[in-house]
Amino acid sequence: MNKLGAVIGFTYRNKTKTKSFRWTTLVLLLLLVVGLNIPYFIQLFSGQSDKDLVRIGIASGSYQQIAEQIKEAADKTAATKPAAANNTGNAGAAEVNALRGTGVTRIEWQAEPTDAAKLRQQIEAGKLDGYLQLQKPAAGETFPSITYVSEKNSAGVQAMLQAAAQTAKVRSVTSGQLTEAQLNEIGTPVSLTRVALDDMKGTDSKSGALTMENYILVYLLLILFFISLTMTGNMIASEITAEKSSRVMEILITSVSPLTQMFGKIIGIFLVGLTQMGLYAIVFIVHLMLPYYQQVLAQFDIHISNLSWEVAVLGLVYYVLGYFLYSTLYAAVGSIVSRTEDLGQAVSLLTVLTLAAFYIGIFSMTNPDSLLMKISSYIPFFSPTTAIVRIGLGNMPWWELTISLIILVIAIFIFGWLSAKIYRTGVLMYGKRPSWKEIRKAMKAYKI
């Protein structure tokens, strides 16, 4: 155990002190900071803010009453927006939901209606941002058609005006037959939640309610698995190949057992990867706590409290198990390669496996309970990604989850044992890459 700790500590210190590790981590941190702040800089330099004032006129023609109703509905929506944003648990009016993310505090309406030609002149002079034009209804309709004329293509303002026009249309069509509470009820969106058939039968399977928070979490876990495994796996293989090519391995193998040496390197580089990911996570969490990002998350109705900690914990478990499964194979492959130039070709099969696991998971997020996903969640090379998609976005009963984890753990022991024998045999083979027949013959002579 002391020797294992020494190998882990040496590997961790040796990797974290290299210039390549420091510069790579620093550059990726800077890129992450820049990427997370791009939306803020775009908003800052475009001159837009949450306190922008939108000046709008109305060419109402003979529809003065409807124009007043649109103005009243828009003003009421803007006034109730802050309250709705702070109370997302209650379903607000449809126009309030449409307003999320517009960045508009209020609309300044032109005092008196006028014709479209004068309003266009005011837009050209910079006195107005746009105007609504009410025109003759289309064939078979009674409510006038509405056009919004503006040089600025703001989806948020259009959503706000469309919601206000919809409210005015309901008032016009009902002609005072509905109360204020009934009008508000019409604008309230219907909440639709999916429940699995097994839940209706009273079984123990997990409900597959899809939330935006879980979708984002699963997506990030898949990316974390792929990027981290690719980086650390190649790091393990290149570290072993470099030691072998420099003949340092001959000294190491006489002082530390191959099994201790292999798993010491695997755990040490795993800690290196965790250090990098921890730094990226700290930067990401700090940005999420900034006021700007709090407003962005509120606009899209995303709340950290809605995250499923079950998905996060199981995702971490599958990540760790998947890492140890693949890393043992990377170590075995690195031990049979004598030159670092040949390493890329040697690990190509493992690269294909990691890509397959990533693509199966990422492209099946919209259909997590497909037959392919169910089968893949029992295959140890694919289960770290496919199982977490099923847990977070689909329905994976506890007994399927248990079987998947047991198979993955058994696979780690089997491939760990096999990789240790290959490692012990391969690290002392120099020259050309040994054939599978030579490796198998040498493995029979070595017992763990």
Side-chain angles (χ1 to χ4, degrees), residues 175-190:
S175 300
Q177 299 178 17
L178 299 179
T179 64
E180 191 71 22
Q182 290 172 327
L183 289 171
N184 291 334
E185 183 67 21
I186 291 176
T188 302
V190 177

Side-chain angles (χ1 to χ4, degrees), residues 316-329:
L316 181 61
V317 171
Y318 269 103
Y319 165 71
V320 173
L321 294 178
Y323 167 82
F324 279 101
L325 173 64
Y326 276 94
S327 60
T328 55
L329 297 178

